[in-house]
Amino acid sequence: MMSVQKIAINVAGKYEPSVVNLKKGVPAELTFTRTKDQGCLDVVHSKDLDFETKLPLNEAQTVNVSTDKAGEYDFSCGMDMFHGKVVIK
């Protein structure tokens, strides 16, 4: 069985870390935890990586990310004001 890349991202006025590096071809999970009650950060989405999820306060939310294709893929808050990036190599 292949291991899974697990990345924890803290959401508190920004994404920390804001750049996530993943290995191509290895399944990946991003776990977002919002720890500050700041409006538009209650949703995280990525057209590139095909996910959108609500982020309830202090509840970890995990999304699966396809790592089939190398490249840089953006994710952002509901209003596209705060941004992060997934880099697949």
Side-chain angles (χ1 to χ4, degrees):
M1 185 172 144
M2 217 190 295
S3 61
V4 176
Q5 302 174 84
K6 295 183 184 215
I7 309 290
I9 300 172
N10 188 38
V11 183
K14 62 182 178 179
Y15 297 109
E16 187 64 43
S18 61
V19 178
V20 174
N21 292 293
L22 298 173
K23 284 192 189 112
K24 182 179 176 221
V26 180
E29 293 177 354
L30 304 182
T31 300
F32 294 89
T33 305
R34 184 168 65 106
T35 56
K36 276 201 177 137
D37 192 9
Q38 199 166 354
C40 62
L41 285 163
D42 63 351
V43 170
V44 63
H45 68 109
S46 171
K47 280 194 182 83
D48 297 341
L49 296 170
D50 193 31
F51 70 79
E52 177 166 347
T53 190
K54 287 190 160 72
L55 299 178
L57 202 55
N58 298 316
E59 279 184 40
Q61 298 292 319
T62 300
V63 294
N64 293 308
V65 174
S66 169
T67 58
D68 295 345
K69 289 192 285 209
E72 296 190 358
Y73 304 97
D74 292 326
F75 60 87
S76 63
C77 67
M79 294 175 68
D80 294 325
M81 289 170 59
F82 297 93
H83 297 271
K85 186 185 293 184
V86 174
V87 179
I88 299 172
K89 291 183 182 168

